[in-house]
Amino acid sequence: MLGARVIAVAVGYCFGLFQTGYIYGEKHGVDIRTQGSGNAGTTNTLRVLGWKAGLITFLGDLFKAIFAVLLIRFIFIGKYPDAVKILELYAGFGAVLGHNFPFYLKFKGGKGIACTSGMILAVCPLAAPICLTLFIGSIAITRYVSLGSILVVTSYLIQVLIFGHMGYLHVDTAYLPEFYIVSACFTAMALWRHKANIKRLLTGTENKFGMKKNQEE
């Protein structure tokens, strides 16, 4: 199983290397990493290149995590039927790592929220409705994309703990603690990647959605 975990993370990482925003920008003569906040994720791409670019980036980053999870499911469902769910989670985590830290871009990628959302849809779809509601609702009320992103990863972890306790995750009991830990890693990494945003939220200086400044996600 150790080898399977490593393979799952490696496969996910390879999928995560598909930097949708960066690739889209390059095709249009723009290095997204030198514009706006310098982030290669959805929000900065949308701000710099427009709604079409933002939507394409979001979908690309979303589906690369989904495809990574589905591939690992296909590879290991027969060999490790009781553990395939945790392997899917590792694949999703690898995809976020590849997105956040692409080696060929000097480890300067995005913040992993769209990628994490793809993992949630593929591995724990029960958590998706509340995550989506909190994301859209918080942005509609506050216009803080970073706050919506933080609520997504925080609510995901809380829901995983609740669903796991209730037996709704379809994860073998032997792997449930590990599932919790890896899920917590998603949340911890996202919060760490948003540490500057959190600081600005606490001081009331965070940029709102639609403002053309270079500090937003």
Side-chain angles (χ1 to χ4, degrees):
M1 269 293 293
L2 176 59
R5 289 178 176 87
V6 172
I7 291 172
V9 173
V11 167
Y13 185 85
C14 290
F15 273 89
L17 292 176
F18 186 85
Q19 295 288 314
T20 316
Y22 173 78
I23 294 171
Y24 186 96
E26 285 292 292
K27 287 184 176 295
H28 291 79
V30 176
D31 185 348
I32 196 67
R33 300 170 302 156
T34 65
Q35 303 291 322
S37 66
N39 190 273
T42 298
T43 305
N44 192 46
T45 304
L46 185 152
R47 186 193 318 111
V48 174
L49 297 173
W51 283 95
K52 179 182 177 182
L55 178 60
I56 291 174
T57 299
F58 173 76
L59 292 176
D61 293 345
L62 180 86
F63 278 101
K64 67 188 181 186
I66 293 175
F67 291 150
V69 170
L70 292 179
L71 179 57
I72 288 300
R73 182 183 302 170
F74 175 78
I75 292 173
F76 290 113
I77 187 65
K79 188 172 183 179
Y80 299 114
D82 295 334
V84 71
K85 206 70 174 176
I86 188 67
L87 294 176
E88 292 173 8
L89 192 64
Y90 275 113
F93 189 67
V96 175
L97 286 175
H99 175 78
N100 289 355
F101 310 107
F103 72 89
Y104 68 97
L105 295 179
K106 299 181 180 179
F107 302 98
K108 186 179 180 181
K111 295 184 179 179
I113 299 303
C115 214
T116 298
S117 299
M119 178 281 297
I120 293 172
L121 285 172
V123 180
C124 188
L126 280 176
I130 291 179
C131 289
L132 180 61
T133 300
L134 288 173
F135 183 75
I136 294 176
S138 63
I139 294 177
I141 294 171
T142 69
R143 293 175 61 200
Y144 290 135
V145 175
S146 56
L147 177 61
S149 301
I150 291 166
L151 289 176
V152 166
V153 295
T154 304
S155 66
Y156 162 70
L157 179 58
I158 293 172
Q159 290 181 83
V160 162
L161 295 173
I162 294 173
F163 292 145
H165 179 72
M166 298 174 68
Y168 292 163
L169 290 180
H170 305 295
V171 176
D172 189 278
T173 305
Y175 298 103
L176 200 53
E178 185 176 1
F179 197 95
Y180 294 155
I181 292 171
V182 179
S183 292
C185 289
F186 278 93
T187 300
M189 181 161 59
L191 293 177
W192 178 71
R193 294 289 284 175
H194 283 82
K195 59 183 182 297
N197 302 86
I198 294 172
K199 182 178 180 179
R200 291 194 296 270
L201 284 169
L202 293 174
T203 57
T205 57
E206 175 68 317
N207 302 312
K208 293 186 176 183
F209 184 68
M211 294 176 61
K212 292 187 176 182
K213 293 181 71 174
N214 63 357
Q215 297 296 331
E216 199 177 324
E217 181 184 317

